[in-house]
Structures are given as C-alpha cells and as structure tokens.
Amino acid sequence: MTEHRVGEVCVRADGHVVYALIDRPAVRNAIDDDVVTGLAAAVDLAERRRARVLVVRGAGGTFCAGADLVLLDRMRRDPSRVERFMARLGGVLGRIEHGPFASMAVVEGYAVAGGCELLLACDVAVATTTARIGDRHVEYGLVPAAGGSVRLSRQLTKARANYLLLSGELLSGDEAARWGLVTVAVPPDHIEAAVAGITARLASRSTDAIATVKHMLDNSGRLPQSAALDRERALFTEHVASPDCRSGLAAFRDRRVPSFS
C-alpha cells in the first residue's frame, strides 16, 4: 500500500483499489484548484494501475460542501478564470464517470452543490442515513456548472430533479436512497463495513469486464437505442476473446469461484 498527497487530496493504492481522500475538513472539503489537481492525480493512478475501483471520500466526516465560494468570489472578477476552473472540475468529473474502473462515493455529512456533482459522477454511492445531499446552488444565487443539472435530471425523475435544482432542498441519506440518488444508505456506525464489503465485491471482478461494461453504459446514455444495442453486441464479441472471459468461463465449467489477475 502506498500513500501520497497531491494538492489537497490524499491518494493511496491498495491492490486493485485506489483511494482518494479530499483533505480540507476545516472548510468541509470545499473544492479548489488543489482538490481538482488531487482528484485528477487519483484518476491518473487508477488508470495507470488498471485499478478496478476508485473510492472517493472526504476527511473529517464530510464528503464535500461544493466549490470553495471564497475562491469563487475572488475568481468571478475574471470570467475566464472561472471558466477555466469549472472546465477543469468538469473534466475530472467526466474522467471519474467514464473511466475504465468502478467509481464509488462514500458520503458522510454534506454532499452539496459541487459535492453532489462529484457524487453524481460516481458509479456507486454509499451514504450514511444522516448525510445531507442535494444541489443547493440556488440557495446562494448560484447555478450548477460541473454537470449537476445534466446528471441529476438523467438520474432522477423530471419532477424530483427539477425540485432539487430549483428549491435547493437537501435530502437525508435515507431519502436519497429512496429517490435513487445514492445506491445504499446505512447507519453511521455501519459505514466502514458497508464500504469495505462493496469495495471488496467490486475489486473481485474482472478488470476487462468492468471497463467493457463502463463503455456499454456510456453508449447507452449517448446513442439511440438501436445503435447502443448494436454496439453492446460488438463489445461483447470483442470481450469474449479476452483472458478474463476465458478464465471466467473455465471457472464456471469447473464449478469454482473465478479469480482474475
């Protein structure tokens, strides 16, 4: 296991898993340039190691309270600087969403505004029942800029996405799970066990299969259904020739649990 700090993010690798811990607890892990740099470094490491899982969480019992508004207030005097910052943030969230690994958000405390956008970019989200989750931009006269309006409206029903975006109301972890905004919500004292269990399950899967499924999911979101179905079959045909597929089929034939290198 190795660990190092990049910007304001502690990054470590353990086997097939890369962990990214946003470490600005004094400001509820608000996102600044150094956080974006650190998240990008975590994605770089996950891609370089062909990791199966990227786990993103925040230090001090809070996931992320969004963009650093003190920084944003200074930057707004230079619109080009604001645009560059949001483009960088949006770019790293896109890499988390589309990367060839399963990404998981561990949500404790607040996941609001940009923190909610980070959550939405992850494939899986495990939250405490007491977490507070939502867009919240409008509460301070702001609007999303890192994918919140797009991903939220695609993940939830129109009525629910509209309400969260227009009202700024926050959901508890329990409510977010019922709405489908997070995968599962557990009591705070169960969060570590839940994260460990889900991480282990994801990390036991085939690297090639995870990457291929992520590619399929990307196609399902951007292609017409008929084209996405055609592409799914083509990707399946390519994947059948992979070592992981052969290994999995052999394990099924031999009635044993598959193990992927």
Side-chain angles (χ1 to χ4, degrees), residues 168-208:
E169 183 172 335
L170 302 183
L171 304 177
S172 69
D174 264 339
E175 291 170 323
R178 289 197 296 271
W179 281 34
L181 187 53
V182 301
T183 309
V184 63
V186 299
D189 57 349
H190 292 180
I191 187 71
E192 298 304 333
V195 170
I198 294 173
T199 300
R201 176 178 287 271
L202 292 171
S204 72
R205 301 322 188 203
S206 154
T207 304
D208 290 336

Side-chain angles (χ1 to χ4, degrees), residues 219-260:
N219 290 333
S220 71
R222 66 181 181 83
L223 297 177
Q225 181 170 311
S226 60
L229 290 169
D230 289 342
R231 187 59 183 147
E232 180 187 72
R233 285 190 293 273
L235 288 168
F236 166 79
T237 301
E238 293 173 15
H239 181 69
V240 164
S242 70
D244 279 357
C245 185
R246 290 197 298 272
S247 177
L249 291 174
F252 178 80
R253 182 192 62 224
D254 298 339
R255 300 295 188 266
R256 56 181 171 79
V257 176
S259 178
F260 304 104

Side-chain angles (χ1 to χ4, degrees), residues 17-18 20 52-58 63 93 95-99 101-108 111 115-128 133 151 155 176-177 180-186 191 193-203 205 210 213-214 217:
V17 184
V18 170
R52 296 171 185 170
V53 189
L54 172 65
V55 178
V56 182
R57 67 189 308 174
F63 182 64
L93 296 192
R95 292 182 66 197
I96 291 172
E97 181 178 31
H98 301 296
F101 44 74
S103 53
M104 181 167 71
V106 181
V107 183
E108 303 168 273
C116 185
E117 290 176 305
L118 174 56
L119 179 163
L120 288 165
C122 293
D123 300 308
V124 177
V126 183
T128 63
I133 302 168
R151 293 188 179 98
Q155 184 154 335
L181 187 53
V182 301
T183 309
V184 63
V186 299
I191 187 71
V195 170
I198 294 173
T199 300
R201 176 178 287 271
L202 292 171
R205 301 322 188 203
I210 287 173
V213 169
K214 289 290 296 284
L217 291 170

